[in-house]
Amino acid sequence: MKRRDFIKKASVGATAAAATTTIAAPFVHAAKKTPIRWRLQTYAGPALAEHVIKPQIEAFNKIANGDMVIELYNADQLVPTPELFRAMQKGTIDAVQSDDDSIAAPVDVSVFAAYFPFATRYSLDVPTLFNQYGLNEIWEEAYNEVDGVTWLGSGPWDPCNFATKSPINSLEDLKGKRVFTFPTGGKFLQRFGVVPVTLPWEDVEVALQTGELDGIAWSGITEDYTVGWADVTEYYLTNNISGAWIGSYFANSEKWEAVPEHLKALFKVTMDSSNYNRMSWYWWGEAHYRVNGGKLKLTTIPEHEWDKVEAEAVKYWDEIAAKSPRNAKVVEILKKYTDTMKKAGKPYRYAD
């Protein structure tokens, strides 16, 4: 090729390429996404929230990648816990992690949340009852009758034991004890002379120090050590009135419906992951702190005495069953489940 022809063709090619580049690739400003924002309040104080929900919310926010951001608030930080349900209905707060009982959910099944006496013995009982014995469908039915709030699912927490300032070695020792506990658990414990006391969560430690409280029946030993209650009590009663707390997630219905399906699925996946991780954390802690805690002295009420408490619980179940057909259905399930576990024997239950 002659030098003159080469220069001519190269010049034409370069001009065409430049024109193509200029026309085909204009600069475009990408539109910024406006994330969906939620405010979620948990029943738990700061130290406990670190374990029972904060990892979930951090994971959700990370995976949502700017499409949605959940701001987490601790117990009573925005709204007092007993007012959470109404606040959620009004849209003052978008979502809640708590038991139905503590937030005064206006459904008949709320009595079975938190620590319904002797309904569970182990944390695995909770997902089994909800997933295999029909409690999921019953809870959905109940909340479908209430406007403004959507129940998203339940999971297991720790057992309910007493941590006290003086030792409890018999039922007689329970009489007159002023105890911070849950609404339904407190009503049941009144039958044994316990005086239930309601306080904001953050005031409990000070109330134990000042003598306003004699003890707590709000958790197992893991939480006693985690949140500092083991520093202001001296004794831990190994008998419990329930083997696992039943907690749930709830959302304002309008806000939940506005969430895209992929983010709804993401929230439920992280919720299930949180339930699983929390269950193993408590299973570890309930044994670890009894053996290695070093702060609380363990006491036990003899079985022949504690049997009276379990017998009274059966009467209590029947009283609750009489309050509504749906409650009766739940109690029937609990009785069937307990009977099955006892007949199955170890490791499910020890035979009477």
Side-chain angles (χ1 to χ4, degrees), residues 180-254:
F180 174 68
T181 189
F182 290 87
T184 295
K187 289 174 186 174
F188 175 70
L189 290 170
Q190 282 180 308
R191 299 178 180 218
F192 305 96
V194 172
V195 180
V197 178
T198 301
L199 289 171
W201 193 90
E202 289 188 349
D203 294 343
V204 172
E205 186 170 341
V206 173
L208 285 164
Q209 291 173 311
T210 61
E212 184 181 351
L213 287 176
D214 299 307
I216 51 176
W218 202 83
S219 68
I221 200 168
T222 308
E223 289 187 13
D224 293 336
Y225 277 85
T226 301
V227 305
W229 291 339
D231 298 323
V232 290
T233 54
E234 293 186 46
Y235 299 92
Y236 182 81
L237 181 65
T238 59
N239 313 75
N240 64 54
I241 66 163
S242 180
W245 190 76
I246 299 175
S248 288
Y249 290 81
F250 310 83
N252 173 277
S253 297
E254 187 176 340

Side-chain angles (χ1 to χ4, degrees), residues 16-69:
T20 302
T21 302
T22 303
I23 295 169
F27 180 75
V28 178
H29 286 280
K32 288 185 177 180
K33 293 183 291 186
T34 302
I36 298 168
R37 288 193 175 274
W38 268 16
R39 298 194 302 174
L40 185 156
Q41 184 169 309
T42 177
Y43 74 97
L48 184 57
E50 287 285 334
H51 299 276
V52 301
I53 191 170
K54 189 178 177 183
Q56 174 202 352
I57 300 306
E58 288 178 342
F60 177 89
N61 288 339
K62 184 176 181 179
I63 301 169
N65 196 31
D67 290 338
M68 184 170 173
V69 176

Side-chain angles (χ1 to χ4, degrees), residues 167-179:
I168 297 175
N169 295 299
S170 68
L171 292 182
E172 187 67 26
D173 293 334
L174 291 175
K175 291 182 179 178
K177 290 286 189 295
R178 293 161 298 173
V179 172

Side-chain angles (χ1 to χ4, degrees), residues 126-168:
V126 177
T128 303
L129 283 163
F130 275 85
N131 297 328
Q132 274 73 41
Y133 276 73
L135 294 196
N136 273 327
E137 290 74 18
I138 293 174
W139 257 246
E140 286 174 357
E141 176 189 85
Y143 282 96
N144 284 341
E145 297 171 2
V146 179
D147 292 331
V149 171
T150 299
W151 173 79
L152 301 177
S154 292
W157 270 253
D158 54 337
C160 182
N161 295 68
F162 284 86
T164 53
K165 298 170 74 174
S166 59
I168 297 175

Side-chain angles (χ1 to χ4, degrees), residues 102-119:
S102 295
I103 63 174
V107 293
D108 46 8
V109 296
S110 66
V111 71
F112 298 105
Y115 292 121
F116 190 64
F118 298 99

